[in-house]
């Protein structure tokens, strides 16, 4: 069933990982399988058998050609540096080459305690596995770079958190699991050779154009500076997309910051409903470090930590290296601002770039903030408000005056786009989703699944697969939580 494995990461020097065979589980049962993704990855599905698949995705049998390893990494967790984290419960089986010729990691998350477990159990409860499944696939459908969910199994074991919960394993697919924390692991050990190896591996895998370009003949340091720039560019684009959807990652530690620029590690993440830039969900984020509005600046902070690890490669002269890396980190601000404005212009149906666009966006956000208007609905309902005031939009704003004034301004700006209202409306619907993984819906799907009813999970999966298309009969999924449904805190649950 599995495509052929490549073992790029497992062939890196031994200090990059610990070989680790997943620990078998008593009763593997396949509860979710992502057929389109499996096809994209080149799986042979002609003789697909759920029972057999469960055994693979539980890690009870290691597929031929795979050499499972737990990856080493460090990381800043809430600003505090931990020199040794690593995959405490995840194993990388290897990489496969997808239909587009790209290498993709296949990882089992929840596969047992590894040498990096630091006393924890190496397992994952069903709730967090389903949450990651739903939200990562939802993000993909929304057009956001992200790790993917290929399969989920239950294990037949209970895992103990505050209460016993069903155990599960997620099969995660990623462009790679290289993180800022992977570089930090070696930097903390003063292992410059490893950083170089890792940087070359990252370039080859994610930014091969840096090898082909004119940089090839230039001083070596240029290449590593270009790596930093390339990662910063992807991270700026990623942060902008999160902000444009009201997505809050929740644990933007450097070990969850992907070099490939994918959204990585869905823990206590959530989508904001009533707009408030200070929103925090995570129960462990007491200081609000990872609040919605901080995300772009935390990304920059994480990039600065990445830059530090690359300094010796950028220039032998430390001062010069710092100067050059600092310039890249500083330039991120402009890159992010531009990426954000591009995202927001699209959300307002604007293709042309005009002065005053930023102010127009900010004015809407301010009006939404005052009303605590639902983020997703506010933008989605704009499609009905191109020509005249839309009742659906107005209901989100108890004081209609502010939004009415804004609509007048917006329509004046739309006029300069010089296209038919119907085209603007179509643009708006393509840019602003109707369905997002709303926290209370995700929670309801998890609660039902814990009682062995996977119906709500299946329905939500289907709804989230087509987030921009109206799906008759599924209006409930477009609505924010009623007060009693509201999930105010999300938990890592790991
Ligand atoms: P995360 O919060 O998932 O990003 O994980 C942070 C660190 O804790 C990583 O090194 C994980 O591998 C480790 N970790 C989280 N949960 C567990 C667990 N149940 N068993 C072992 N290690 C874990
Ligand atoms: Mg993590």
């Amino acid at each position: 069933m599995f495509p052929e494995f490549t073992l790029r990461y497992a062939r890196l020097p031994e200090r990059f990982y610990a070989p680790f065979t997943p620990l078998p589980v008593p009763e593997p049962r396949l509860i979710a399988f992502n057929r389109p993704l499996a096809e994209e990855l080149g799986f042979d599905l002609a003789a697909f058998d759920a029972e057999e698949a469960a055994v693979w995705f539980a890690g009870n049998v290691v597929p031929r050609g795979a050499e499972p390893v737990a990856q080493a990494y460090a990381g800043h967790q809430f600003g505090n540096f931990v020199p040794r984290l690593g995959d405490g419960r995840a194993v990388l089986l290897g990489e496969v080459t997808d239909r587009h010729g790209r290498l993709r990691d296949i990882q089992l998350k929840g596969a047992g305690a590894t040498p990096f477990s630091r006393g924890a159990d190496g397992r994952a409860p069903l709730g967090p596995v389903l949450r990651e499944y739903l939200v990562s696939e939802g993000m993909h459908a929304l057009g956001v770079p992200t790790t993917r969910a290929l399969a989920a199994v239950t294990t037949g074991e209970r895992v103990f958190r505050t209460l016993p919960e069903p155990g599960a394993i997620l099969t995660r697919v990623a462009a790679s699991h290289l993180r800022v924390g992977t570089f930090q692991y070696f930097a903390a050990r003063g292992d410059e050779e490893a950083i170089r190896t890792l940087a070359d591996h990252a370039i080859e895998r994610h930014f091969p154009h840096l090898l082909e370009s004119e940089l090839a003949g230039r001083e070596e340091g240029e290449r590593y500076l270009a790596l930093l720039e390339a990662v910063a560019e992807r991270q700026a684009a990623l942060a902008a997309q999160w902000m444009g959807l009201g997505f809050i990652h929740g644990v933007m530690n450097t070990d969850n910051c992907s070099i490939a620029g994918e959204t990585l590690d869905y823990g206590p993440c959530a989508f904001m409903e009533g707009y408030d830039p200070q929103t925090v969900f995570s129960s462990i984020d007491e200081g609000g470090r990872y609040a919605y509005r901080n995300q772009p600046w935390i990304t920059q902070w994480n990039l600065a930590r990445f830059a530090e690890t690359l300094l010796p490669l950028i220039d032998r002269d430390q001062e010069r290296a710092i100067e050059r890396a600092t310039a890249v980190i500083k330039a991120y601000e402009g890159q992010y601002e531009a990426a954000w404005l591009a995202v927001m212009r699209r959300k307002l149906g604007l293709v042309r770039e005009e002065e005053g666009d930023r102010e127009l966006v900010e004015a809407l956000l301010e009006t939404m903030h005052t009303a605590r208007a639902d983020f997703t609905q506010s933008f989605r309902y704009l499609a009905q408000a191109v020509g005249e005031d839309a009742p659906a939009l107005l209901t989100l704003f108890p004081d209609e005056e502010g939004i009415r004034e804004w609509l007048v301004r917006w329509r004046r700006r739309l006029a300069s786009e010089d296209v038919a209202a119907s085209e603007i409306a179509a643009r708006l619907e393509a840019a602003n989703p109707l369905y997002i993984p709303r926290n209370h819906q995700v929670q309801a799907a998890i609660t039902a699944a814990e009682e062995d009813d996977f119906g709500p999970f299946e329905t939500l999966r289907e709804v989230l697969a087509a987030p921009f298309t109206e799906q008759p009969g599924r209006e409930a999924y477009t609505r924010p939580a009623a007060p009693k449904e509201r999930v105010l805190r999300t938990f890592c649950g790991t």
Side-chain angles (χ1 to χ4, degrees):
M1 182 174 78
F2 278 85
E4 199 178 315
F5 278 96
T6 320
L7 300 169
R8 282 298 161 78
Y9 193 87
R11 290 289 171 267
L12 291 174
E14 277 174 22
R15 58 194 191 283
F16 283 62
Y17 55 81
F20 177 77
T21 307
L23 299 175
V25 303
E27 265 178 70
R29 185 178 137 216
L30 188 69
I31 51 171
F33 182 60
N34 190 338
R35 219 168 224 282
L37 178 59
E39 275 161 9
E40 184 184 319
L41 295 173
F43 274 72
D44 174 14
L45 298 180
F48 179 80
D49 177 80
E51 262 173 55
E52 192 193 1
V55 172
W56 297 117
F57 294 125
N60 281 15
V61 176
V62 174
R64 189 157 43 91
E67 276 183 33
V69 298
Q71 292 177 286
Y73 54 85
H76 275 91
Q77 299 189 308
F78 292 90
N80 303 309
F81 186 63
V82 184
R84 185 183 155 99
L85 287 167
D87 285 334
R89 53 162 167 177
V91 289
L92 175 68
L93 292 179
E95 308 93 18
V96 301
T97 305
D98 72 11
R99 291 265 152 93
H100 314 287
R102 292 179 307 209
L103 278 191
R104 312 276 289 269
D105 276 11
I106 301 199
Q107 189 203 63
L108 303 181
K109 187 173 172 185
T114 77
F116 296 105
S117 292
R118 296 173 294 149
D121 66 357
R123 294 298 187 190
L126 179 60
V129 165
L130 294 183
R131 174 179 288 272
E132 175 153 355
Y133 199 113
L134 288 168
V135 184
S136 65
E137 285 305 302
M139 288 287 265
H140 172 70
L142 289 163
V144 183
T146 176
T147 63
R148 305 287 306 274
L150 177 63
V153 296
T154 47
T155 61
E157 276 176 344
R158 297 253 142 197
V159 296
F160 293 85
R161 295 297 180 259
T162 38
L163 294 169
E165 297 172 56
I169 297 174
L170 178 77
T171 304
R172 180 157 79 179
V173 174
S176 84
H177 284 85
L178 302 178
R179 313 141 190 268
V180 168
T182 320
F183 285 82
Q184 290 181 294
Y185 179 84
F186 296 109
R189 286 158 183 75
D191 190 343
E192 198 182 308
E193 191 189 313
I195 298 173
R196 186 182 304 272
T197 304
L198 194 60
D200 289 339
H201 175 75
I203 290 172
E204 188 194 318
R205 220 168 146 177
H206 301 305
F207 311 102
H209 61 277
L210 298 184
L211 295 172
E212 290 150 15
S213 68
E214 71 277 13
L215 288 175
R218 299 256 292 275
E219 213 185 304
E220 196 192 57
E222 299 284 336
R223 186 157 82 233
Y224 301 112
L225 192 69
L227 170 65
L228 177 60
E229 277 166 352
V231 174
E233 203 174 298
R234 287 210 190 163
Q235 284 289 337
L238 183 66
Q241 281 196 284
W242 289 357
M243 299 305 275
L245 288 165
F247 175 76
I248 301 172
H249 181 286
V251 204
M252 292 176 67
N253 294 335
T254 55
D255 52 302
N256 294 336
C257 183
S258 150
I259 297 299
E262 289 183 335
T263 311
L264 171 65
D265 253 18
Y266 292 83
C269 60
F271 284 78
M272 177 162 53
E273 296 197 318
Y275 180 63
D276 178 355
Q278 301 204 50
T279 305
V280 180
F281 286 101
S282 171
S283 62
I284 53 174
D285 190 2
E286 280 158 16
R289 178 179 170 91
Y290 300 142
Y292 173 78
R293 68 165 177 198
N294 291 352
Q295 295 186 118
W297 315 116
I298 290 292
T299 294
Q300 186 185 30
W301 192 89
N302 289 345
L303 287 167
R305 306 290 77 76
F306 179 45
E308 284 163 3
T309 72
L310 295 178
L311 289 177
L313 307 190
I314 291 173
D315 203 309
R316 284 277 146 223
D317 178 323
Q318 199 188 23
E319 241 163 75
R320 226 168 34 216
I322 291 175
E323 202 176 297
R324 306 188 75 188
T326 305
V328 175
I329 300 303
K330 187 81 187 122
Y332 164 90
E333 288 166 21
Q335 282 167 343
Y336 167 73
E337 292 292 351
W340 178 82
L341 190 54
V343 165
M344 300 312 285
R345 272 204 182 97
R346 229 186 129 236
K347 290 183 79 65
L348 295 192
L350 310 177
V351 169
R352 295 190 176 179
E353 296 176 15
E354 282 187 18
E355 214 153 310
D357 287 349
R358 171 178 297 279
E359 289 69 26
L360 186 68
V361 174
E362 278 165 359
L364 174 61
L365 290 174
E366 219 174 284
T367 311
M368 285 164 57
H369 187 188
T370 308
R372 297 290 191 279
D374 183 80
F375 188 88
T376 307
Q377 286 182 323
S378 295
F379 285 100
R380 179 71 183 191
Y381 292 160
L382 289 179
Q384 304 161 19
V386 176
E388 56 195 57
D389 288 359
L393 180 66
L394 295 183
T395 58
L396 305 178
F397 298 84
D399 167 23
E400 288 183 10
E401 202 183 325
I403 189 69
R404 280 185 198 278
E405 273 171 29
W406 183 84
L407 285 169
V408 171
R409 236 174 114 180
W410 177 55
R411 291 193 195 109
R412 212 179 305 132
R413 171 64 182 81
L414 286 180
S416 70
E417 287 287 307
D418 221 5
V419 292
S422 59
E423 181 171 338
I424 301 266
R427 276 182 196 171
L428 287 162
E429 288 194 349
N432 296 303
L434 182 54
Y435 309 100
I436 49 148
R438 291 188 184 269
N439 218 350
H440 65 293
Q441 295 285 6
V442 171
Q443 194 51 56
I446 291 170
T447 305
E450 284 169 346
E451 301 295 319
D452 210 30
D453 172 10
F454 286 87
F457 169 76
E458 280 308 322
T459 309
L460 188 52
R461 230 177 118 182
E462 257 177 58
V463 169
L464 296 176
F468 298 97
T469 313
E470 196 164 334
Q471 303 171 40
R474 288 175 168 170
E475 292 74 21
Y477 293 92
T478 68
R479 288 193 283 266
K484 66 173 181 349
E485 294 172 318
R486 213 168 278 157
V487 180
L488 295 174
R489 283 277 163 271
T490 51
F491 299 87
C492 259
T494 54

